[in-house]
Amino acid sequence: MRRFFTACCGNVLLVTTALVALMLTGCPFRTSALAAEAPLDTLQIAVSPLDEQDPRYAQPDVEISRKKLPDVQATVVPQPQAPSRPPRLKHPLAGDWHFEEARRAAAAGDGAAMRENLRRARSIEPDNPRFQWWQADQALRKVDTPTLIQVVPEIARTLLASAVARGQLIIRLHQASLLATTWFWTLLVAALSLVWWRHLAHDLSALIFKNRNHPLRTMLPLILPVTFAALRPGWLGWLALMSIPLLIQTRGRQRALLVATWVTAIAMAFPAWPALRLAPPTVDPASEVTLLAEACRQDPSGPISERLRQTLAIAQDADRRARLQVALGIQEARRGRFADSDKLFNTVLEHDPDCFAALVGLANNTYFRGRLDQALQQYQRCRQVHPERGEVCYNMAQVYFKKLFIPEATEALELSRELSFLVPTHMDQKTRQMAYSPVVYPGLSNESLLAACAFEAVQYPPLVTLATWENLLGSPPVPLFLVLVVPLIIGVALILLWSRQNDPRECENCGVPLCRECCRVREGAWLCPTCGETASRSRSDHVLATLMKNRSRDEGLRGIARVVRLGRLVPGAGHLASGSFAAGWARLALASLGFFLLSAGWIIDPGNRWLSPGMILPQEVFSLRWLPLPAIMWPGWNDLSILAGIGLVLLSWVIGVLDGPLLHRGIPERLSWAPAGSEKPTAAPVTPKKPAPSAGIAVGPGLKR
Ligand SMILES: [Zn+2]
Ligand SMILES: [Zn+2]
């Protein structure tokens, strides 16, 4: 009854609605004509909300597929004309834009915006080393271990795959390690000069005054740094000159450390390392390598094409011509001039039939002109030659989609993902609405860019990346390498030629520096003038032993006070003086790392745009002579590397101050020399000399207690 009533009501409503519609529109024929013209996509079908379908009403499982359809010989899209400008997967600057937004957000302290923009930038350009480094840097600051673990392998992969990324990193690392070595060397020279100050003073006075009694003049070693600075050899040159007297003075592990630091600096200044020679074109904005990389990446641009054509006109080398033709071919294709582009790609393929960029570019051009089957054949050929590249599969998928071959398209997409070709997730609306979906034009291969680097690198002077450092590191008009090597050769020659290398250098009673001229030899022991006179004046051996012991103790106490003072003045110097080499080395390294971070850590940040302090304009630095660092990059005092640098420097000095009592304990007490026959007449005679293990307060070879 109820159902009947509902049906009746429905019928009545339907009829009434039809009548009203007729009355409103007037003519039923006109209405039907309009309805026929209505677009198909306005048709709406009510979807049943039911999830489960009754098996009784299920569609019969009839095998209908396009395999049963007649074979299609050629697929040509109904729209015959090619797009005037082929669509692109991503805007070439979109990644940079999001990256800059992320940096701005990070500077403003907006963590959420920073993460979102960085995520987008990374998804648009997953291989951009700048984005990767900056992400690693941010993860490091926030102690975000999962992100760090994820991004570090990506950085390694990019470095292996991209010659340009590698070149830029090598230049940064070179500059950073050269600066760090220079700082360490500076502190080492300072520490060693203080440790050997009294010996330097004695030797200089012996050299200058040339008389028998040349008393120690404490201020004399100041002549050395002042004289060497007056020669204006630059920072590294000054260090090399200062190291000559220290090389002669030091012995054992101290000398080894000095030589090792020196040799490291020489290695850094060596101009012909192959990796370093190849790197400059990757950072020079005017280089051909940059031109090629930009031409493959950017939208078509008049100046870029013009430069490519001009270079192509003068290029003789076949490989170089092929590289330029690939870049120009990609530019022409992006401009929509597919015929010109094809011509260039075909020329390249005559020279190198396996050139990946040309093979794919040619197939892409065919696709954009609507010849889908021919394009598919060309992609298949690419797949045979380069089965490892995911870009080909992705491009093939677009052709399959255009042909409405959905299973093949999906399969090709899957394959491209398996071959780790990542499709950017953010495609703009305009690109989606175009008649052709975008395909990838791969740029020049890593090998081609490496060859381009090798071709162009010979035109750069050696160590050009240190151009702005020149004033600071070495002013003389000779290569930095010679500025460092020549003093080392002079130092080694002096050591080899100097016949007195093995003479005792300290009084065997009190440890005051002496030499062959000023010493008094008594019973085979070399004594300083004071001790020698005491020995000659005293009548009895007992008195002599007491006097000697007193003087030895006085000098020993003074020596200990000096070592403690040294430790507070330069971190590590006290330990070097007292003979604990490893502790001294560690303190020096800590302090020099602090100075390095403070002075240059903020420039070596690899997330920054390429602005090497060695390769910027003179106007952009703080001061060309004294501080050739890029002023525009100064991050402010609250930057992480500057805070870390200040922290390390302060820490090393705090350790130096706290070290005092410990240093005291580490120094063995000075033992006195006394005439061999005085106390133990049967004892063997004292061995006349024994090189001191440490400096400053050398432990004399006295009698056993
Ligand atoms: Zn003495
Ligand atoms: Zn002397």
Side-chain angles (χ1 to χ4, degrees):
M1 182 67 187
R2 201 179 184 180
R3 197 180 298 161
F4 174 68
F5 183 70
T6 318
C8 278
C9 274
N11 284 342
V12 170
L13 263 176
L14 202 68
V15 172
T16 321
T17 317
L19 280 175
V20 170
L22 268 177
M23 280 191 300
L24 281 175
T25 49
C27 178
F29 299 107
R30 230 170 71 200
T31 317
S32 66
L34 273 175
E37 277 174 21
L40 202 62
D41 57 7
T42 55
L43 182 72
Q44 291 194 352
I45 302 159
V47 181
S48 156
L50 285 175
D51 285 328
E52 301 160 305
Q53 207 173 19
D54 194 326
R56 282 174 296 170
Y57 305 119
Q59 284 197 347
D61 192 14
V62 183
E63 205 187 337
I64 297 177
S65 90
R66 58 182 174 69
K67 287 182 187 145
K68 302 243 165 134
L69 297 174
D71 260 358
V72 181
Q73 291 305 318
T75 313
V76 175
V77 286
Q79 189 183 15
Q81 74 272 29
S84 61
R85 282 277 280 268
R88 296 197 61 173
L89 265 180
K90 56 196 177 193
H91 193 275
L93 296 177
D96 282 327
W97 190 80
H98 281 295
F99 182 61
E100 292 307 321
E101 284 293 305
R103 285 168 64 86
R104 204 167 296 145
D110 185 354
M114 188 273 279
R115 277 191 296 279
E116 174 59 19
N117 276 304
L118 185 60
R119 194 181 61 76
R120 287 192 173 210
R122 288 294 321 273
S123 98
I124 293 168
E125 283 182 55
D127 295 337
N128 193 316
R130 254 179 84 210
F131 304 172
Q132 293 173 341
W133 279 111
W134 197 74
Q135 193 174 21
D137 184 31
Q138 292 295 317
L140 210 62
R141 279 160 201 249
K142 303 226 162 63
V143 202
D144 180 1
T145 327
T147 312
L148 209 60
I149 290 173
Q150 185 197 337
V151 79
V152 166
E154 291 175 12
I155 290 176
R157 220 174 301 137
T158 307
L159 286 181
L160 281 178
S162 160
V164 174
R166 208 159 49 223
Q168 295 182 349
L169 183 75
I170 284 171
I171 289 178
R172 275 178 206 269
L173 283 182
H174 174 242
Q175 295 191 348
S177 45
L178 182 65
L179 272 183
T181 311
T182 311
W183 268 115
F184 182 77
W185 197 3
T186 310
L187 283 184
L188 183 68
V189 161
L192 288 181
S193 343
L194 288 177
V195 169
W196 293 92
W197 191 269
R198 280 155 60 87
H199 288 76
L200 285 172
H202 166 263
D203 289 5
L204 277 175
S205 77
L207 203 69
I208 293 170
F209 298 115
K210 300 233 181 256
N211 54 359
R212 184 147 195 271
N213 288 318
H214 34 257
L216 211 128
R217 288 196 169 71
T218 327
M219 301 313 271
L220 212 52
L222 279 179
I223 293 180
L224 290 176
V226 174
T227 316
F228 292 148
L231 295 173
R232 300 176 64 156
W235 187 6
L236 276 174
W238 183 83
L239 286 174
L241 290 175
M242 277 299 287
S243 297
I244 298 178
L246 293 176
L247 191 70
I248 296 170
Q249 288 293 342
T250 47
R251 299 282 185 278
R253 287 185 292 179
Q254 290 185 14
R255 185 184 265 178
L257 181 63
L258 184 65
V259 170
T261 315
W262 205 335
V263 169
T264 312
I266 289 174
M268 299 285 164
F270 184 63
W273 294 116
L276 202 60
R277 284 298 277 140
L278 284 183
T282 62
V283 293
D284 180 9
S287 73
E288 196 175 302
V289 175
T290 315
L291 175 70
L292 290 171
E294 287 296 295
C296 295
R297 180 170 170 251
Q298 295 292 359
D299 271 343
S301 126
I304 289 183
S305 302
E306 193 50 39
R307 269 192 67 199
L308 284 173
R309 274 201 199 88
Q310 284 171 359
T311 323
L312 198 55
I314 53 166
Q316 301 289 329
D317 184 65
D319 288 333
R320 186 185 179 201
R321 286 187 68 83
R323 289 193 291 269
L324 290 163
Q325 279 160 345
V326 166
L328 192 57
I330 292 175
Q331 283 270 308
E332 293 292 347
R334 295 230 164 101
R335 207 170 262 128
R337 297 185 196 149
F338 298 115
D340 293 346
S341 174
D342 274 0
K343 214 178 285 170
L344 285 160
F345 285 144
N346 280 322
T347 324
V348 173
L349 288 175
E350 279 168 24
H351 169 66
D352 172 15
D354 293 345
C355 177
F356 182 65
L359 282 173
V360 179
L362 210 56
N364 289 352
N365 291 351
T366 316
Y367 158 71
F368 279 129
R369 275 176 293 185
R371 298 173 205 151
L372 300 188
D373 295 313
Q374 194 189 341
L376 271 181
Q377 281 166 13
Q378 286 171 331
Y379 285 131
Q380 293 289 5
R381 168 155 160 61
C382 286
R383 285 269 305 136
Q384 283 162 10
V385 186
H386 300 278
E388 76 289 346
R389 300 295 293 255
E391 291 98 322
V392 192
C393 303
Y394 180 79
N395 290 359
M396 272 170 93
Q398 307 314 312
V399 186
Y400 281 131
F401 275 129
K402 190 94 187 147
K403 280 166 71 94
L404 295 179
F405 284 16
I406 307 301
E408 283 86 344
T410 319
E411 197 183 319
L413 267 189
E414 284 292 323
L415 196 58
S416 82
R417 218 164 288 142
E418 275 169 28
L419 293 170
S420 65
F421 173 70
L422 298 172
V423 187
T425 43
H426 300 278
M427 205 184 289
D428 62 345
Q429 203 57 36
K430 210 175 142 199
T431 310
R432 282 180 201 284
Q433 288 167 352
M434 292 182 85
Y436 285 85
S437 26
V439 287
V440 186
Y441 280 93
L444 284 163
S445 68
N446 188 36
E447 290 77 32
S448 304
L449 282 177
L450 258 183
C453 282
F455 179 82
E456 210 179 4
V458 287
Q459 299 166 12
Y460 289 85
L463 290 189
V464 67
T465 46
L466 297 178
T468 319
W469 293 116
E470 243 167 34
N471 284 322
L472 188 71
L473 296 181
S475 299
V478 283
L480 188 58
F481 182 64
L482 289 182
V483 171
L484 295 179
V485 166
V486 172
L488 181 61
I489 294 173
I490 293 174
V492 172
L494 283 178
I495 288 175
L496 292 179
L497 296 177
W498 197 34
S499 57
R500 298 180 184 180
Q501 264 290 299
N502 294 323
D503 279 2
R505 300 189 299 162
E506 285 142 2
C507 167
E508 283 172 33
N509 183 50
C510 64
V512 167
L514 48 70
C515 63
R516 201 172 280 185
E517 273 77 38
C518 63
C519 75
R520 311 280 187 272
V521 182
R522 195 176 162 85
E523 294 180 23
W526 290 36
L527 298 178
C528 65
T530 320
C531 292
E533 254 165 55
T534 312
S536 62
R537 254 192 263 145
S538 69
R539 301 284 156 86
S540 80
D541 277 359
H542 187 70
V543 174
L544 171 62
T546 317
L547 286 174
M548 284 295 188
K549 233 175 239 171
N550 284 349
R551 180 166 163 76
S552 167
R553 186 163 302 125
D554 285 354
E555 281 294 327
L557 286 177
R558 242 179 270 164
I560 289 172
R562 201 160 49 234
V563 168
V564 173
R565 240 184 358 254
L566 277 184
R568 287 182 185 152
L569 207 58
V570 176
H575 284 88
L576 286 183
S578 71
S580 31
F581 173 79
W585 180 81
R587 280 161 180 76
L588 275 178
L590 192 72
S592 54
L593 182 65
F595 275 117
F596 164 70
L597 283 179
L598 184 59
S599 65
W602 48 281
I603 308 160
I604 312 296
D605 174 9
N608 275 333
R609 190 176 295 124
W610 178 253
L611 267 180
S612 155
M615 286 191 75
I616 49 177
L617 297 178
Q619 296 90 318
E620 291 168 341
V621 297
F622 286 113
S623 149
L624 195 57
R625 168 155 275 281
W626 301 110
L627 198 61
L629 303 178
I632 39 169
M633 284 173 69
W634 173 248
W637 288 102
N638 55 357
D639 186 66
L640 185 72
S641 74
I642 289 172
L643 289 181
I646 294 176
L648 282 179
V649 170
L650 286 181
L651 178 71
S652 56
W653 254 278
V654 167
I655 291 176
V657 170
L658 295 180
D659 270 344
L662 300 172
L663 273 175
H664 212 279
R665 219 178 297 154
I667 301 166
E669 205 178 313
R670 163 160 289 287
L671 300 172
S672 168
W673 173 89
S678 65
E679 283 175 0
K680 289 183 181 174
T682 51
V686 177
T687 35
K689 59 183 178 180
K690 172 181 159 194
S694 61
I697 59 126
V699 182
L703 292 174
K704 281 183 184 164
R705 281 187 178 184

